[in-house]
Amino acid sequence: MKIIMLGAPGAGKGTQAKKIADQYQIPHISTGDIFRANIREKTPLGMEAKSYMDKGELVPDELTVKILLDRVSNEDCKNGYVLDGYPRTIPQAEVLDRAVGELNERIDFAVNVDVPDENIIKRMSGRRACTKCGDTYHIEYMPPKKENVCDKCGSPLIIRDDDKPETVKNRLSVYHEQTAPLIDYYEKKGILKTVDGTKDVNEVFADIKNILES
Ligand code: AP5
Ligand code: MG
Ligand code: ZN
């Protein structure tokens, strides 16, 4: 099963993608996580990506597309995957369609996690991310067992550099301009499924499971 997660920054794409990956035993592929891992390791790719990410801009397609195509050609992707944060532009979607088409396969679902802008700022300010494994929490909605410590690996939690309110506002406007058109794109292909992302994490997941299993 090949699944794409769509939705504004902070809509809960990552949260739900992890649950899908666990449930269906397919890899969770987040271009944002790949970039952040490169930033932590101070690779040239990480340094270049950081200059865009810190401003809330998109990393250029040329760079992003290459990383994604590399990743989905891995052996562990042969039974499918859940993409989180890719595609973010129409050209990125077209590249993915072509790559999948060449294997005589197709994307099964584009799940749009719908959350209005008003809710987003609050979610982002409460988000905490692990400095080591990238796992994500929310101080109010998904608190770690021990304050500021990752449940999974025990490393400290921090506020992501791009979660400052000014940057979040820019990420939202970039989303509406460049990424939201993908909703129409996948609607026309007949694979768009929208869920109400303002519900509680487990309710959203139950709705997604219903869609994937119907
Ligand atoms: P990326 O890492 O993809 O960030 P994003 O799209 O801005 O989304 P987030 O990760 O911020 O939010 P999310 O939807 O995953 O929400 P989460 O589950 O964490 O990209 C970062 C940057 O990298 C981009 O700005 C860009 O520069 C670059 N980039 C990445 N991919 C790219 C691409 N393809 N092309 C170009 N550039 C690219 O949830 C948010 C918070 O809310 C958490 O604290 C969570 O605990 C909480 N929460 C989740 N669900 C719920 C719920 N139902 N109720 C209450 N709280 C909830
Ligand atoms: Mg995410
Ligand atoms: Zn961790």
Side-chain angles (χ1 to χ4, degrees):
M1 189 153 49
K2 296 189 180 62
I3 304 162
I4 288 171
M5 304 303 291
L6 295 176
K13 301 181 295 296
T15 302
Q16 297 299 331
K18 279 187 200 122
K19 288 177 161 292
I20 294 171
D22 276 354
Q23 176 84 26
Y24 301 100
Q25 294 295 304
I26 49 177
H28 164 216
I29 301 176
S30 156
T31 39
D33 286 351
I34 295 174
F35 291 138
R36 281 184 290 276
N38 276 275
I39 292 172
R40 283 198 292 274
E41 286 153 24
K42 302 197 164 59
T43 67
L45 166 71
M47 295 302 97
E48 179 159 12
K50 184 172 167 50
S51 65
Y52 298 97
M53 290 167 76
D54 282 354
K55 287 182 279 186
E57 306 287 336
L58 295 185
V59 176
D61 284 348
E62 305 82 75
L63 218 62
T64 309
V65 156
K66 207 171 141 279
I67 283 159
L68 192 277
L69 291 182
D70 252 25
R71 180 64 189 87
V72 296
S73 65
N74 255 30
E75 184 61 18
D76 66 338
C77 288
K78 66 177 192 314
N79 293 326
Y81 42 75
V82 51
L83 297 187
D84 157 20
Y86 186 102
R88 263 187 154 88
T89 62
I90 301 275
Q92 288 184 18
E94 290 170 345
V95 168
L96 176 66
D97 278 344
R98 233 176 293 133
V100 171
E102 277 166 16
L103 303 169
N104 280 321
E105 293 172 0
R106 61 189 176 85
I107 302 293
D108 300 289
F109 298 100
V111 178
N112 177 28
V113 184
D114 186 32
V115 176
D117 287 8
E118 305 85 83
N119 304 36
I120 298 282
I121 309 267
K122 177 159 187 224
R123 280 206 188 169
M124 300 304 225
S125 59
R127 174 161 60 184
R128 297 294 180 271
C130 176
T131 42
K132 193 163 170 222
C133 74
D135 215 23
T136 301
Y137 302 86
H138 191 284
I139 48 173
E140 204 175 313
Y141 310 124
M142 273 213 300
K145 293 200 185 80
K146 194 169 158 211
E147 202 180 326
N148 282 319
V149 176
C150 178
D151 288 353
K152 248 211 234 143
C153 75
S155 304
L157 303 179
I158 50 153
I159 299 178
R160 242 167 68 175
D161 283 345
D162 58 349
D163 278 351
K164 294 189 293 275
E166 319 83 78
T167 317
V168 170
K169 282 193 194 121
N170 194 40
R171 284 162 64 197
L172 274 171
S173 71
V174 167
Y175 166 77
H176 287 294
E177 238 168 71
Q178 304 191 49
T179 307
L182 289 172
I183 293 174
D184 239 29
Y185 179 93
Y186 288 110
E187 173 87 272
K188 287 197 181 107
K189 291 189 178 287
I191 59 168
L192 182 78
K193 305 284 173 186
T194 297
V195 293
D196 177 357
T198 64
K199 293 185 189 172
D200 141 300
V201 173
N202 291 317
E203 285 178 87
V204 178
F205 184 57
D207 291 346
I208 292 177
K209 252 172 73 179
N210 274 335
I211 289 167
L212 303 183
E213 290 173 11
S214 66

